[in-house]
Amino acid sequence: MKIVLHGKNKLGFVLGTYRWEMYDSSLHELWDKCNAIVLAWIMNTVTLSLISTVIYASDVHKVWEDLRERLRGLWDEYETLDPPPTCGCPESKRHTERYQLQKLYQFLTGLNESYETAKTRF
């Protein structure tokens, strides 16, 4: 998700580097709109059990931190996955395949129920 947010120039909203109070009042409405867009993106990707964390929120950074705390175990595992070494040997190939499978599982775990069919295929 961080890659998408960065690509859309919205990563600062979740990281807390784009804070409402940092901007002139003439930009507050625009900030509110961008914040709402990111909240909607998050709402559309979390499971129903986590939707209450997002639906009544007004600050994406607080939501991000709350989700991070709730999912600490999965988050820590995701953050510490290292890319596999590439040397062309069979062991490196197996490690690369395992790494890619872990990344896929982590991605699928974060999808909401509307993607249940796709989740069960793997």
Side-chain angles (χ1 to χ4, degrees):
M1 182 153 211
K2 281 184 175 181
I3 294 169
V4 172
L5 291 168
H6 182 65
K8 298 284 189 177
N9 202 25
K10 303 288 187 272
L11 187 57
F13 284 89
V14 298
L15 297 180
T17 54
Y18 298 166
R19 293 233 176 252
W20 186 84
E21 58 274 358
M22 293 172 53
Y23 298 96
D24 183 75
S25 61
S26 64
L27 296 174
H28 286 173
E29 186 176 343
L30 180 60
W31 187 95
D32 288 337
K33 285 179 184 180
C34 291
N35 186 69
I37 288 168
V38 178
L39 279 170
W41 290 341
I42 291 173
M43 245 187 295
N44 286 320
T45 59
V46 298
T47 61
L48 285 178
S49 62
L50 293 173
I51 200 74
S52 63
T53 305
V54 184
I55 202 159
Y56 299 110
S58 60
D59 184 336
V60 151
H61 176 64
K62 290 178 183 173
V63 167
W64 191 260
E65 290 302 312
D66 184 56
L67 288 172
R68 195 171 147 135
E69 189 60 36
R70 288 172 184 253
L71 305 171
R72 171 88 31 216
L74 290 174
W75 198 284
D76 290 344
E77 183 181 328
Y78 175 77
E79 293 290 327
T80 58
L81 277 179
D82 293 323
T86 54
C87 66
C89 62
E91 184 62 32
S92 176
K93 184 178 179 187
R94 281 192 299 274
H95 185 70
T96 300
E97 289 169 354
R98 184 173 175 267
Y99 173 79
Q100 290 171 342
L101 192 59
Q102 284 178 313
K103 296 296 259 180
L104 175 63
Y105 287 150
Q106 288 171 345
F107 172 75
L108 292 173
T109 301
L111 294 176
N112 65 27
E113 283 78 17
S114 66
Y115 296 98
E116 203 61 41
T117 305
K119 289 163 98 171
T120 58
R121 290 181 60 201
F122 294 97

